[in-house]
């Protein structure tokens, strides 16, 4: 049994999972050495655990990787740095799984210097997930070390004359519905090369949501739009289509559609959507002042069916 050394239960659904507060609260940090990665101290260390924001890009990828995930929140966390010294870093987050957060989505980008050492000496990045009993969740495992030809990686000689293997922002969805009622922990870990002269680091972002198909359906229209959760390697709908989002013709209330999701690690799950229209409780409030400035606040919500937006 592999045991997480940094697991800790969090209250609420998944507070600050995507670093939306602009800090590392609700996360646990650790530092140590590589390789193999050994985490010895449970603490956040400035420069090794860093909040990133803005529109900047990573200089060691010659600007190819943004420091914040495209389409994500305003912040990310950089784990590690471009210093070396055989250092290792970890960020861990634990959450109580329920129906509202059974979809866990993380995004990551990786930057490795490539010193062409033996594989067990190279800079590396690891993702691991554990259930409440400390057992490894195999579908959540991802381990990679610096070498050319890795799927999803690009190799360059950058502006500093370094040979670098990098992976641009990648989105991964995790189905945690089998762990509802449990505390699940995810760990992100980076390590430099073991000989002390070459770096490895990563950028991280994440969020949680219900594991459902989003159905855009209005009775009377001749089509409906169905979208499965992002972050999976492949999608197979009951219609035979294989894109994440599909359009269904001649929809009717009660129509049933399924989508089989396959994760990047090969695990599968099937979601079902039953078309129903939304029953809306309409409401709004008004705030005005003496300067002819009026603010309307929408408080409408769906009594049944899918949520509405506009």
């Amino acid at each position: 049994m592999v045991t997480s050394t940094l697991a800790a239960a969090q209250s609420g659904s998944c507070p600050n999972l995507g670093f939306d507060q602009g800090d590392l609260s609700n996360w646990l940090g650790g530092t140590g050495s590589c390789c193999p990665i050994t985490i010895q101290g449970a603490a956040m260390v400035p420069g090794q655990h860093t909040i990133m924001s803005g529109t900047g890009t990573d200089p060691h990828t010659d600007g190819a990787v943004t420091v914040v995930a495209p389409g994500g929140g305003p912040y990310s966390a950089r784990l590690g740095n471009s210093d070396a010294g055989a250092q290792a870093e970890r960020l861990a987050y634990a959450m109580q799984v329920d129906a509202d957060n059974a979809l866990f989505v993380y995004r990551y980008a990786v930057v490795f210097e490539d010193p062409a050492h033996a594989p067990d000496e190279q800079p590396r990045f690891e993702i691991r997930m554990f259930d409440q009993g400390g057992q490894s969740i195999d579908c959540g495992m991802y381990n990679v070390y610096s070498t050319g030809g890795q799927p999803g990686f690009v190799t360059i000689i950058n502006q500093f004359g370094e040979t670098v293997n990098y992976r641009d922002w990648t989105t991964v969805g995790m189905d945690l519905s089998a762990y509802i009622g449990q505390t699940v922990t995810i760990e992100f870990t980076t390590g430099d090369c073991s000989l002390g002269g070459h770096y490895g680091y990563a950028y991280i972002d994440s969020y949680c949501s219900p594991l459902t198909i989003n159905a855009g359906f209005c009775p009377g229209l001749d089509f409906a739009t169905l979208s499965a959760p992002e972050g999976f390697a492949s999608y197979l709908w009951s219609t035979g289509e294989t894109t994440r989002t599909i359009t269904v013709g001649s929809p009717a209330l009660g129509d049933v559609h399924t989508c089989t999701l396959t994760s990047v690690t090969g695990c599968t799950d099937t979601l079902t959507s039953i078309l129903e229209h939304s029953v809306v409780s309409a409401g709004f409030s008004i705030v005005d002042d003496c300067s002819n400035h009026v603010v309307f606040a929408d408080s409408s919500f769906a009594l049944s069916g899918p949520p509405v937006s506009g």
Side-chain angles (χ1 to χ4, degrees):
M1 179 178 72
V2 180
T3 302
S4 167
T5 59
L6 293 175
Q10 303 287 344
S11 60
S13 182
C14 43
N16 204 39
L17 181 60
F19 313 103
D20 299 314
Q21 299 175 18
D23 58 31
L24 293 164
S25 60
N26 294 340
W27 287 82
L28 290 175
T31 58
S33 60
C34 188
C35 305
I37 292 176
T38 303
I39 300 299
Q40 298 147 338
M44 298 291 186
V45 176
Q48 292 181 264
H49 306 91
T50 308
I51 291 294
M52 310 296 292
S53 63
T55 59
T57 58
D58 183 271
H60 294 273
T61 65
D62 289 351
V65 174
T66 58
V67 299
V68 173
Y75 302 101
S76 73
R78 190 187 67 204
L79 186 59
N81 53 48
S82 58
D83 293 339
Q87 295 179 329
E89 301 85 14
R90 178 170 293 163
L91 279 172
Y93 189 99
M95 68 183 196
Q96 182 78 22
V97 182
D98 56 36
D100 291 329
N101 63 15
L103 173 64
F104 183 97
V105 178
Y106 60 86
R107 303 180 176 102
Y108 67 93
V110 181
V111 184
F112 290 142
E113 193 174 3
D114 189 353
H117 297 327
D120 61 348
E121 299 171 334
Q122 292 280 75
R124 61 198 57 241
F125 176 56
E126 299 177 355
I127 301 172
R128 300 189 300 171
M129 297 189 76
F130 301 92
D131 65 16
Q132 189 162 293
Q135 294 284 352
S136 176
I137 298 174
D138 291 340
C139 285
M141 300 287 284
Y142 176 70
N143 300 306
V144 64
Y145 64 87
S146 184
T147 185
Q150 289 276 10
F153 277 77
V154 175
T155 301
I156 63 170
I157 297 177
N158 67 15
Q159 60 186 317
F160 306 111
E162 303 162 336
T163 299
V164 168
N165 299 309
Y166 72 85
R167 180 166 188 152
D168 207 349
W169 285 99
T170 301
T171 301
V172 178
M174 281 292 302
D175 172 14
L176 298 180
S177 58
Y179 302 93
I180 288 177
Q182 291 193 41
T183 297
V184 166
T185 301
I186 184 168
E187 293 180 347
F188 299 97
T189 310
T190 53
D192 300 330
C193 85
S194 63
L195 302 186
H198 305 88
Y199 58 78
Y201 58 95
Y203 299 94
I204 301 161
D205 189 16
S206 50
Y207 71 88
C208 66
S209 72
L211 183 68
T212 58
I213 293 172
N214 183 28
F217 172 57
C218 292
L221 294 183
D222 58 1
F223 68 92
T225 301
L226 306 177
S227 294
E230 69 171 336
F232 291 84
S234 66
Y235 301 85
L236 178 59
W237 293 86
S238 49
T239 62
E241 294 169 276
T242 56
T243 54
R244 181 188 162 211
T245 298
I246 65 171
T247 299
V248 178
S250 303
L253 286 173
D255 283 354
V256 177
H257 297 277
T258 64
C259 184
T260 298
L261 316 174
T262 302
S263 72
V264 295
T265 52
C267 299
T268 60
D269 185 46
T270 299
L271 301 182
T272 299
S273 176
I274 302 175
L275 291 184
E276 57 181 340
H277 62 76
S278 297
V279 178
V280 178
S281 172
F284 63 90
S285 60
I286 302 174
V287 178
D288 59 2
D289 56 32
C290 295
S291 303
N292 295 321
H293 180 258
V294 181
V295 177
F296 292 89
D298 182 17
S299 58
S300 303
F301 61 94
L303 293 169
S304 65
V308 294
S309 61

